[in-house]
Amino acid sequence: MSRTPATEAARRRTFAIISHPDAGKTTLTEQLLLLGGAIHAAGQVKARGEARRARSDWMKIEQERGISVTSAVMTFEYKDAVFNLLDTPGHEDFSEDTYRTLTAADSAVMVIDAAKGIESQTLKLFEVCRLRDIPIVTFINKMDREARDTFELLDEIAGQLQLDVAPMMWPAGMGQNFKGIYDLYTDDFAPFGGAVGERVGGNALGALLPEDVKAKLDEEVELARAGLSRFDAAAYREGNMTPVYFGSALKRFGVRELLDALAEQAPPPRDQAAKGGLVHPSDKDVSGFVFKVQANMDPNHRDRVAFLRLCSGGFKRGMKLKQSGTGKSIGVHNPILFFAAERETVDEAWPGDIIGIPNHGTLRVGDTLSETGEIVFTGIPNFAPEILRRVRLGDPMKQKHLARALTSLAEEGVTQVFKPMLGAQWVVGVVGSLQLDVLKSRLNAEYGLDADLEPSPYDTARWISADAAETEKFIAANRGQMAQDRDGAPVFLAKSQWELGYVSGKFPNVKFAKTRERSDVHEEG
């Protein structure tokens, strides 16, 4: 069969994993990669020494703290499907990076701790998925530890997330008495502690399970079949139903069933919204958007890699693509596929794939690349930062070096930098305080800069827009609190929410925006 954008897109499964910190997301990621043959040994996030360096966590601060703070991309094949796995930051301070990563995903796996149920960050990330109607598969993890009642967990998912739940499996016991999972659709049983993929016929359960566990399982299965929804593929793909799987990522149990489900049920690449209409994966012209830029993946080369989600067409190495807004033609000679910090050059890629484009600051988050240069994808915003800090250098002679470092890191779209119209001290804006630690750590490790992040007098930032005369008038009246973002857009730095309300009341013709659509940036440039 000839390879076309339509046939290749049908094989792709581009998905993200979302969870609250410590629910086991990175461990599950490792086990999926292991099953897909992408790695040969899984690194546990909280193990000691070298074993601690989980393969999908490559940044120094991630390895030290045992958390994921950047979105890694990993590609692997399983059965006849090609998976592009997006491992999102689990920490809430990186929710903006996660939001943008989810713009590149067609579905998501939600990992829930069996003892804790739905936690705050899971809820936040779910809301982002809901905004985009992203279908979600639920994996209830850590069944080999003490867990909450299964019906109670499913009720919580249904109640808090307003989703139909369709259990695909049912756990027999929990914690030290966890015996395995019963398939509600085939009546097979997978014994916990057995060989990977081992299945036993339902009629053999009497000999396998203690009498009380077997009786409880029979009763619960009957109740589940009578009272809970059966899986409906259309409802799942519309984002109204979540199929639920159970297991233990750490013990590599229940993971194969999850991966099989993603291969069979998860949607292929979706149509993407663009100015002027939808772009379809089967369209002949190549197009894609940059949802992430990572600086210094290789500290020896000061490189920047733009992560491009392909949306249509058949991409070939060496192809020239035009950047939206500027019309600049970019030859993509060394496109790469990722495995965490490891990479390999790729000769072709298809809709749903994520390729890395090495560049020197040309590409930014939100850029569209296409053969025609006429497509502009929408829906990738910048968010107003919630924490603003002034940057003070230990060595004032390195001010130019600092400007380059901050601009480079701001290209990744996580830290925002503002240059005040008056005064020389840069202001950095972040969504969460952990980002400040990461910023300091990276300025030191990657740029050799000893910088302090001091409290600033500002509480929040807003992008302003109005006609030219009104903008000029506003800037003249508030020059001491005006700055420019890295694209040169005017930003008002407010000292309090009260002041923001007061100033906006005085200038009713000026718009104060909390978000700025990335696709607008080059239009203005």
Side-chain angles (χ1 to χ4, degrees), residues 354-430:
I354 289 154
I355 59 170
I357 303 177
N359 70 104
H360 293 285
T362 320
L363 295 173
R364 309 179 195 177
V365 170
D367 279 357
T368 296
L369 291 181
S370 63
E371 284 185 88
T372 61
E374 291 165 11
I375 297 171
V376 179
F377 290 109
T378 57
I380 308 176
N382 264 354
F383 297 92
E386 293 171 18
I387 300 170
L388 294 161
R389 291 284 186 269
R390 277 182 171 151
V391 185
R392 186 172 64 79
L393 266 182
D395 181 357
M397 300 298 287
K398 292 188 174 178
Q399 203 66 32
K400 278 189 178 173
H401 190 28
L402 174 69
R404 282 196 300 272
L406 287 175
T407 306
S408 172
L409 291 173
E411 275 166 13
E412 298 180 23
V414 180
T415 306
Q416 295 188 47
V417 295
F418 303 108
K419 185 79 177 74
M421 291 184 179
L422 297 177
Q425 266 192 313
W426 288 80
V427 174
V428 295
V430 295

Side-chain angles (χ1 to χ4, degrees), residues 285-330:
D285 288 337
V286 172
S287 68
F289 62 87
V290 176
F291 67 93
K292 178 181 177 62
V293 173
Q294 183 69 57
N296 303 331
M297 284 183 86
D298 181 352
N300 299 322
H301 295 98
R302 281 276 178 270
D303 65 343
R304 295 186 189 100
V305 175
F307 290 63
L308 184 81
R309 154 70 197 236
L310 286 166
C311 301
S312 64
F315 171 84
K316 298 283 187 287
R317 181 180 177 184
M319 193 174 250
K320 281 189 161 54
L321 297 175
K322 289 180 183 170
Q323 185 179 28
S324 58
T326 66
K328 188 184 290 182
S329 194
I330 296 171

